Amino acid sequence: MDLLRFITAGSVDDGKSTLIGRLLYDSKSILVDQFETLKKQSKNAVHSEIDLALLTDGLRAEREQGITIDVAYKYFSTPKRKFIIADAPGHIQYTRNMITGASNADCIVILVDARNGVVEQTKRHSIIASLLQIPHVIVAINKMDMVDYDKVVYDVIVEQYKALAKQLNLQDVYYIPMSALKGDNIITTSPEFPWYKGEPLLSYLENLEVTHGATDAPARFQVQYVIRPQSEDLHDYRGYAGRISNGSYAVDDVVRILPEGLTSSISAIEAAGKEVKEAYAGQSVILHLKDDIDISRGDAFVKEHELPKFEQEFDAFVCWMDAKELHEGAKYLLQKGSRRVKAVVKEIEYKLDVNTLEQHPSPQSAKLNDVVKVRIKTAEPLSYDAYTKLSSNGTAILIDQTSNMTSGALLLQ
């Protein structure tokens, strides 16, 4: 079944938790024991009302315990599609979490309180959506019940956001008036909005077209594991296991193996335990080559006419996730997929203001939650694509060599 990954964003009181709870509750994705617990915990149970926001309280408790990358996920499905909700906190001090959760999202649902309109937090989340190039944006204008389902209020907010979307060059923006508390326009179209001719939220999410690794994009495959049994039955077997992140590979395709730069051709492809002639983006496969070449975990197979960037020094945006500040000259381990190399941050070019998109040049350091543009040099050349061109091959992380903890999330340029 098709899968959609989306993230919800909004200020503290915009109703994000209630919206997630409403989606789970109305789509019947709550187990009976969960429902009974929810009834007992709801403060308004005596009035037969259930506080759906309590469904995410367990996640908050996890955050209070100090989880480092505390993006939590909720799963549910309908007959049409499976969903993964990245529930990332929207406070400015959790910018790193927001970026982590949004980095692989197909869609972002930005909640706007109908009483307040577009506010600073709306702009911040929209800028991050633009920075990460999330392909689809849904502006959920919530709490419409608090403004008497007034179409004028909705229209004003839509115009406010259209101006922001144009400034940020957001391509696909959809607007839905709703009340998560009342369940209006969440699962079904509400009679409270006779003037709204669009779809309710769930229906729109079910029918949203997404691509998980474009098959017509340049072919990208990174070796995750070298399979070499060396048994009597499989004496000459040598396969390279991994997932095709983009494009396709076929038997007889000529490929270049990076970083060594050697060339060979594909002799066989295994997918789901069977030999196939061709495999596509999203499939986990085992590739075989006609030549015996020394290949290791982390090596990349690319096609001669679709070469990625292959550089030892490059620019990147970094979302800093470490309490220990980043300084020029600091050394880290850079991990891109299954490849890990030593790296040094040569220069911090500027700090990006995630509220205004202003660039503050030459900061002395980067602090927790800062987004900065840096110049990085690695111990050996790295194959990658610019995040703006092929996002699935344009991300990496910086790892502290001492603590072995993730220090920064990279968007390669």
Side-chain angles (χ1 to χ4, degrees), residues 102-108 125-137 168-172 386-392 411-413:
S103 60
N104 64 351
D106 304 306
C107 172
I108 182 169
H125 294 155
S126 300
I127 288 172
I128 291 173
S130 172
L131 182 67
L132 296 178
Q133 296 197 322
I134 299 176
H136 307 284
V137 177
L168 299 177
N169 198 29
L170 297 174
Q171 297 298 315
D172 182 35
Y387 182 85
T388 52
K389 300 292 184 184
L390 199 62
S391 59
S392 60
L411 305 179
L412 306 175
Q413 303 298 299

Side-chain angles (χ1 to χ4, degrees), residues 165-356:
K166 184 178 181 181
Q167 179 188 359
L168 299 177
N169 198 29
L170 297 174
Q171 297 298 315
D172 182 35
V173 185
Y174 193 75
Y175 302 89
I176 304 178
M178 65 174 60
S179 168
L181 181 65
K182 304 291 185 183
D184 295 320
N185 277 355
I186 306 298
I187 305 297
T188 58
T189 303
S190 169
E192 301 288 354
F193 300 96
W195 42 267
Y196 176 68
K197 305 304 179 187
E199 297 180 74
L201 177 62
L202 183 61
S203 173
Y204 187 78
L205 292 171
E206 285 182 326
N207 296 309
L208 192 61
E209 291 189 11
V210 295
T211 55
H212 300 297
T215 55
D216 59 351
R220 298 290 181 258
F221 172 86
Q222 189 177 42
V223 177
Q224 294 178 1
Y225 189 67
V226 179
I227 302 175
R228 184 78 170 98
Q230 294 184 307
S231 63
E232 289 189 6
D233 294 341
L234 299 168
H235 184 75
D236 295 324
Y237 188 99
R238 189 193 301 270
Y240 306 101
R243 180 177 174 274
I244 300 174
S245 60
N246 285 94
S248 63
Y249 292 85
V251 173
D252 294 330
D253 275 351
V254 176
V255 292
R256 183 183 293 187
I257 293 91
L258 299 175
E260 294 297 329
L262 301 172
T263 299
S264 183
S265 57
I266 295 175
S267 60
I269 300 173
E270 295 178 61
K274 297 179 181 177
E275 280 205 20
V276 296
K277 293 293 184 184
E278 191 167 13
Y280 304 92
Q283 286 185 283
S284 295
V285 297
I286 301 172
L287 301 183
H288 298 258
L289 298 180
K290 290 181 179 176
D291 304 288
D292 287 336
I293 298 175
D294 182 16
I295 296 174
S296 305
R297 172 181 164 84
D299 288 358
F301 289 20
V302 298
K303 296 182 181 178
E304 288 287 334
H305 60 288
E306 298 175 341
L307 296 179
K309 292 188 176 184
F310 186 59
E311 298 173 357
Q312 196 167 351
E313 193 168 323
F314 45 83
D315 292 332
F317 279 109
V318 182
C319 177
W320 198 243
M321 311 170 84
D322 199 333
K324 188 164 63 177
E325 293 185 4
L326 168 67
H327 295 276
E328 291 180 352
K331 297 178 180 177
Y332 297 91
L333 295 173
L334 185 150
Q335 178 129 10
K336 179 183 170 294
S338 51
R339 185 166 190 79
R340 181 177 289 194
V341 296
K342 291 183 177 179
V344 59
V345 177
K346 292 190 67 179
E347 180 185 0
I348 305 176
E349 296 181 24
Y350 61 82
K351 175 182 173 183
L352 186 70
D353 189 327
V354 295
N355 296 316
T356 63

Side-chain angles (χ1 to χ4, degrees), residues 366-380:
K367 300 177 182 177
L368 182 67
N369 291 310
D370 280 350
V371 176
V372 293
K373 188 174 184 182
V374 299
R375 187 147 189 86
I376 292 177
K377 185 174 183 179
T378 50
E380 54 190 86

Side-chain angles (χ1 to χ4, degrees), residues 102-149:
S103 60
N104 64 351
D106 304 306
C107 172
I108 182 169
V109 179
I110 298 178
L111 278 90
V112 177
D113 188 324
R115 298 169 299 176
N116 303 325
V118 173
V119 297
E120 285 300 316
Q121 197 75 325
T122 314
K123 294 178 181 176
R124 181 179 299 116
H125 294 155
S126 300
I127 288 172
I128 291 173
S130 172
L131 182 67
L132 296 178
Q133 296 197 322
I134 299 176
H136 307 284
V137 177
I138 298 174
V139 181
I141 301 172
N142 193 28
K143 301 191 179 182
M144 286 295 294
D145 57 306
M146 305 290 284
V147 294
D148 297 326
Y149 302 97

